[in-house]
Amino acid sequence: MSAPARVLVVDDSPTMRGLITAVLSSDPEVNVIGQAGDALEAREAIKRLNPDVVTLDIEMPNMNGLDFLEKIMTLRPMPVIMVSTMTHRGAEASLAALEIGAFDCVGKPAPGELRPFGDLAEKVKAAARTQRQFSHPVAAPTPPPAVADFRVGRKIVAIGSSTGGVEALIAVLQKFPANCPPTVITQHMPPTFTKSFAERLNRLCAPVVQEATDGARLEIGKIYLAPGGERHLQVSNASAPCCRLVDRAPVNGHRPSVDVLFDSVAELAGRNAVGVILTGMGRDGAAGLLKMRHAGARTLGQNEKTCVVYGMPRVAHELGAVEQQLPLSAIGEEILKMTAARKEGTE
């Protein structure tokens, strides 16, 4: 058995520090080695204790969590999990933290919540195991291919991601031109975060990016992000493909689930689809990607070296669901090659 993950808890609220400590201490594979109430205390604690992982409150006195995170990533890169309020402002700050280099984000619990902080302990353990270098934020947007250089075919693109997916999706989608193939995405994310993330992607990318709505038609030049929370994203209607948000129990512990999305794309589009599985904990999406490949779709997986967590892509690769494993920097361009119209017509 490996040594427990050593964690420093940073939050200006003694109550919140106590709650986080209690949740993490209930897992025998996690050891909370210290607490800090602000960035100054945290800086000294990091020097003294050398933790494997830090949980960091976004809103703190003296220096806010985002500013402190930037200093950590510049001076002493290490896995940091942000703790945020589940508000629009909190979502915006969390997404900024993920782009700076945070490992993941969790929401502060609502009053009376039965299972506060959900899978925080699992995220801490995954963060402690990773060998990723936490010193490279997302690159600035690069100009997308000119519309004249890309002739879109008839394929649908489906992408699944989890931990590390914010950076990964930005890297992939920034390669897409304004006339990209219709693209549907399930990213594991708290409910209040997905709308802000869609808006952020829309600002950073050439195509239109929006949170998926029930019945929305799949159109060239549009990307649809599954809303977090109560429903799964599927695609349906072969004659006029559209998004469907369906009420259903969580799958693989997630709602929305990547497997649910991939299953529906396999059934609807078959060989006229491309499936992509990116960084993430667990196995969600692996079985669905295999179903897509068996239906004739092209399939891609992010390689281990460029994953924040090589979980979902690893399981998909081991199942034989992945046609090609590629570094993150190559995935966007490969999707375009697979979905481009042929010179004599369209695919």
Side-chain angles (χ1 to χ4, degrees):
M1 179 178 173
S2 59
R6 303 167 67 255
V7 188
L8 174 67
V9 175
V10 184
D11 197 294
D12 66 314
S13 165
T15 301
M16 194 59 63
R17 291 199 301 272
L19 179 57
I20 294 171
T21 297
V23 168
L24 293 178
S25 297
S26 67
D27 190 313
E29 296 179 9
V30 178
N31 179 20
V32 177
I33 59 171
Q35 299 183 11
D38 60 25
L40 297 179
E41 290 182 12
R43 183 179 64 183
E44 295 306 314
I46 289 172
K47 291 179 182 178
R48 185 177 72 257
L49 300 172
N50 191 29
D52 300 317
V53 183
V54 171
T55 71
L56 178 60
D57 185 18
I58 285 183
E59 297 181 1
M60 296 189 300
N62 301 323
M63 180 185 296
N64 67 48
L66 287 181
D67 290 341
F68 187 50
L69 177 66
E70 285 194 294
K71 290 186 179 297
I72 291 174
M73 292 305 155
T74 301
L75 302 175
R76 191 168 180 157
M78 62 190 307
V80 177
I81 297 176
M82 306 303 292
V83 179
S84 168
T85 57
M86 300 292 282
T87 63
H88 180 76
R89 179 181 173 188
E92 288 286 337
S94 297
L95 293 170
L98 291 168
E99 291 184 43
I100 292 169
F103 179 83
D104 210 335
C105 292
V106 297
K108 290 188 175 181
E113 190 169 326
L114 295 178
R115 192 168 174 260
F117 292 110
D119 58 354
L120 176 59
E122 292 301 319
K123 291 182 177 181
V124 163
K125 290 186 287 187
R129 288 192 298 266
T130 185
Q131 298 301 308
R132 178 187 180 220
Q133 296 298 312
F134 290 87
S135 57
H136 56 279
V138 171
T142 55
V147 171
D149 295 337
F150 179 74
R151 297 173 62 241
V152 67
R154 295 176 180 170
K155 289 186 175 178
I156 294 171
V157 176
I159 303 175
S161 53
S162 186
T163 304
V166 167
E167 289 180 290
L169 286 168
I170 291 172
V172 170
L173 299 179
Q174 282 183 345
K175 300 289 181 68
F176 280 22
N179 62 333
C180 73
T183 301
V184 284
I185 299 171
T186 289
Q187 156 73 34
H188 299 155
M189 187 172 275
T192 52
F193 285 25
T194 47
K195 185 174 187 297
S196 294
F197 186 38
E199 292 170 351
R200 197 171 191 87
L201 287 172
N202 192 51
R203 293 193 295 269
L204 292 173
C205 305
V208 174
V209 184
Q210 61 192 51
E211 199 174 37
T213 56
D214 191 54
R217 291 278 297 271
L218 299 191
E219 299 177 1
I220 291 171
K222 289 190 176 180
I223 298 169
Y224 307 83
L225 179 69
E230 299 302 318
R231 294 185 287 179
H232 296 281
L233 174 62
Q234 295 181 329
V235 295
S236 66
N237 193 356
S239 60
C242 64
C243 296
R244 288 295 178 202
L245 301 179
V246 297
D247 293 312
R248 183 177 163 190
V251 174
N252 300 317
H254 298 285
R255 186 168 55 200
S257 160
V258 181
D259 267 333
V260 172
L261 175 62
F262 284 176
D263 285 353
S264 70
V265 174
E267 293 172 7
L268 177 80
R271 63 184 295 273
N272 290 318
V274 173
V276 183
I277 194 160
L278 301 176
T279 175
M281 291 169 51
R283 61 183 305 117
D284 189 33
L289 193 69
L290 181 62
K291 186 173 181 179
M292 287 186 66
R293 190 171 188 189
H294 285 164
R298 309 293 300 275
T299 60
L300 300 171
Q302 187 176 348
N303 69 0
E304 182 175 6
K305 185 176 181 181
T306 62
C307 279
V308 172
V309 180
Y310 186 58
M312 290 158 50
R314 176 186 61 79
V315 177
H317 180 64
E318 291 173 351
L319 288 178
V322 177
E323 178 186 341
Q324 292 184 64
Q325 277 199 316
L326 297 172
L328 182 61
S329 60
I331 289 176
E333 292 174 359
E334 190 62 29
I335 292 171
L336 296 183
K337 291 178 184 176
M338 290 179 167
T339 56
R342 294 173 180 169
K343 292 182 179 180
E344 67 272 16
T346 58
E347 289 189 300

